[in-house]
Amino acid sequence: MGKITKYLPSALVGSTIAAPLAYIAYIYQKDNHQKQHAVLRNFPLLGRVRYMAEHVGPELRQYLFSGDNEGLPFSRMQYQDIVKAGKYNERLIGFGSSRNFAEDGFYIRNSLFPKLRTELKVDNSQKVTTYQYVIDNEGLMSRKEHREEILTDPYYLRDEDAVVLGDGYCRQPFRIKGQVGMSAMSYGALGENAITALSKGLGIAGGTWMNTGEGGISDHHLAGDTDLIMQIGPGLFGVRTPGGEFSWEAFKEKADMEKVKAFEVKLAQGAKTRGGHLEGQKVTEEIARIRLIEPGKTVNSPNRFTEYDSFEKLFGFIEEMREIGGKPVGMKIVVGDVEGLEEMVQIMKDSGKGPDFITIDGGEGGTGATYQELADSVGLPILTALPIVDELLRQYGVRDRVKLIASGKLITPDKIAIALSMGADLVNIARGFMISVGCIMAGVCHTNTCPVGVATTDPDLQDGLVVGEKMYRVANYVMSLRAGLFNVAAAAGVESPTMLERKHLTHKDIQGRISSVGSMLHKIEQEERKEKDVEDLPVKN
């Protein structure tokens, strides 16, 4: 016993040194003799350090090295704006803007005589009960905070300013008292806890809507007291026969649901102008029931509706949906082919047919899974696409019957106000709402391994997302956006954000020159005309 006690410290010290050295020697030999990786073969240990740095690099940049306004798709500052609005109901900043004013960009034209708060046409007569966090004490390694119940203003539009989809064209038009809603996100792409928290949070805020995504209407979309826009994609999930054709019977069932207020036919999505693929292992009994497909069987969706390859056929389909369902029918597009778009508007004018609303998704829009080439380079950004569509609808005299919904990184009140000034009536947000329920922008939505339980159906990972906690952050976030819109409207000298127009917006380039949206559209038309003139030139022999 005495000898053991005597030599034990030396043995522990020896093993503490020997074990790591032995492991390093093992790794060195293993990497040096493997044939797959050249870096590891030539520099066994250094190569592993490189791989480790590459693996944790995004996190290090996000938290330590990137500036507040750096990083894509959203900067640290933009991310924090959403979190603070949702969790702390806090949107004030100190010291000043960190925007780089030397860069080009859009600016709201403020009035010399802004509107007083008492002059705003806002409906805050019905207060909303929600929860916010209050920080009690914050140290280097800890933060003590508590949650408290509050009554807050919802910032609804007044009844006379409500945006109405299908007004005068549908038996049941959709009346909306807020201009911000949730973009299409399917159950399956997001887990049940995330969808449920979003549904309940939007229901608490009221005056908004939830787009189901093309995966159909799940029980989780219906969990809260919010209105739904059901999206129908080429896969016809939720409205298909066993043979894969459109089912009018299933459609009528959905149209008869009280919470379903409108339908959206999806032609394209900003970052995902392609078809879909759903592995059979992901088609659970629940997914199969919602999408009306067979459990366990792989399903491929085409990149367009196979039955509707012309605007005449598509508009006929929309007309029949509106007649049978009695509710507004819109379509979701990505703008790229401006000539094709003009052809569509011409047919709308000549036939008197067409959608009740058009959702324009910018090329910068998000998705759970796509290819880099489609996400980076297919489709125009929203602030280029939106005024083009708005102008074409005006030129052909059909703008009054079609509402425009814009989407594409419009996650803050100023960005939304710019879109409204460019012609949007409403704005869709997806990733902003994902952040409000806990998304940390890990970028693994397509792997089912989302570490915070948002974009995953893994029950263990979803356990981290507590619905009763996150739903209030959703409510706070959407109400903060509406409050911010009224702030911008007041600064621009109008009583409501519904009154924002092109004249309230200007663009400044890097030389400091300013231009209006109208002059920018004129330049686009000139460029289009030049390109057409070149195409019309006779081919040289």
Side-chain angles (χ1 to χ4, degrees), residues 202-379:
L202 294 170
I204 291 169
T208 182
W209 68 94
M210 182 179 209
N211 192 310
T212 64
E214 61 183 316
I217 302 172
S218 71
D219 294 340
H220 319 299
H221 287 105
L222 296 166
D225 186 21
T226 192
D227 295 326
L228 299 182
I229 296 177
M230 181 184 177
Q231 188 182 77
I232 299 172
L236 304 176
F237 296 130
V239 287
R240 55 187 273 152
T241 65
E245 297 173 338
F246 189 80
S247 167
W248 287 106
E249 183 182 355
F251 171 74
K252 186 68 169 58
E253 288 179 6
K254 305 297 188 299
D256 288 342
M257 297 172 73
E258 186 179 348
K259 287 185 179 178
V260 176
K261 301 295 184 183
F263 293 91
E264 179 183 82
V265 177
K266 174 184 161 182
L267 300 189
Q269 180 182 340
K272 191 182 177 182
T273 48
R274 67 176 182 93
H277 175 84
L278 185 63
E279 284 290 339
Q281 60 185 5
K282 291 186 176 180
V283 185
T284 62
E285 291 285 346
E286 183 185 22
I287 294 285
R289 173 176 56 81
I290 294 167
R291 301 195 178 198
L292 299 182
I293 55 181
E294 289 185 39
K297 185 176 180 181
T298 297
V299 178
N300 289 308
S301 317
N303 61 356
R304 73 165 175 82
F305 290 86
T306 53
E307 303 93 331
Y308 314 111
D309 57 0
S310 69
F311 291 119
E312 289 83 356
K313 292 180 182 176
L314 177 65
F315 290 170
F317 176 54
I318 288 175
E319 290 291 314
E320 197 168 358
M321 291 174 72
R322 187 189 293 117
E323 177 59 31
I324 292 175
K327 296 181 177 178
V329 181
M331 48 191 270
K332 182 173 185 175
I333 64 170
V334 175
V335 176
D337 177 9
V338 178
E339 287 187 353
L341 193 68
E342 186 164 9
E343 177 193 350
M344 179 191 80
V345 180
Q346 175 76 61
I347 294 171
M348 288 174 66
K349 177 189 176 185
D350 294 342
S351 67
K353 299 177 180 178
D356 298 299
F357 63 94
I358 298 175
T359 301
I360 307 165
D361 200 20
E364 67 272 60
T367 181
T370 190
Y371 299 107
Q372 192 75 47
E373 61 272 21
L374 296 179
D376 285 350
S377 301
V378 178

Side-chain angles (χ1 to χ4, degrees), residues 475-494:
N476 294 342
Y477 174 51
V478 71
M479 288 188 288
S480 77
L481 294 175
R482 297 194 299 233
L485 283 179
F486 274 98
N487 284 343
V488 175
V494 294

Side-chain angles (χ1 to χ4, degrees), residues 19 55 166 175 226 233 273 310 339 415 425 435 469 480 486 499 527:
H55 184 71
R175 193 175 190 81
T226 192
T273 48
S310 69
E339 287 187 353
K415 298 291 187 299
D425 299 289
I435 292 172
E469 162 73 20
S480 77
F486 274 98
M499 301 169 72
E527 292 299 321

Side-chain angles (χ1 to χ4, degrees), residues 467-535:
V467 173
E469 162 73 20
K470 302 296 185 185
M471 64 184 188
Y472 293 108
R473 303 192 189 191
V474 177
N476 294 342
Y477 174 51
V478 71
M479 288 188 288
S480 77
L481 294 175
R482 297 194 299 233
L485 283 179
F486 274 98
N487 284 343
V488 175
V494 294
E495 294 90 351
S496 168
T498 59
M499 301 169 72
L500 290 170
E501 304 175 40
R502 289 180 189 173
K503 65 181 182 182
H504 297 116
L505 195 63
T506 191
H507 181 271
K508 181 195 78 68
D509 65 19
I510 55 175
Q511 277 81 39
R513 296 170 299 200
I514 62 173
S515 56
S516 66
V517 176
S519 65
M520 293 172 67
L521 285 170
H522 180 63
K523 288 179 183 176
I524 292 174
E525 285 182 1
Q526 286 183 321
E527 292 299 321
E528 288 276 325
R529 193 172 295 116
K530 284 181 185 176
E531 289 182 9
K532 189 171 187 306
D533 290 343
V534 171
E535 290 173 0

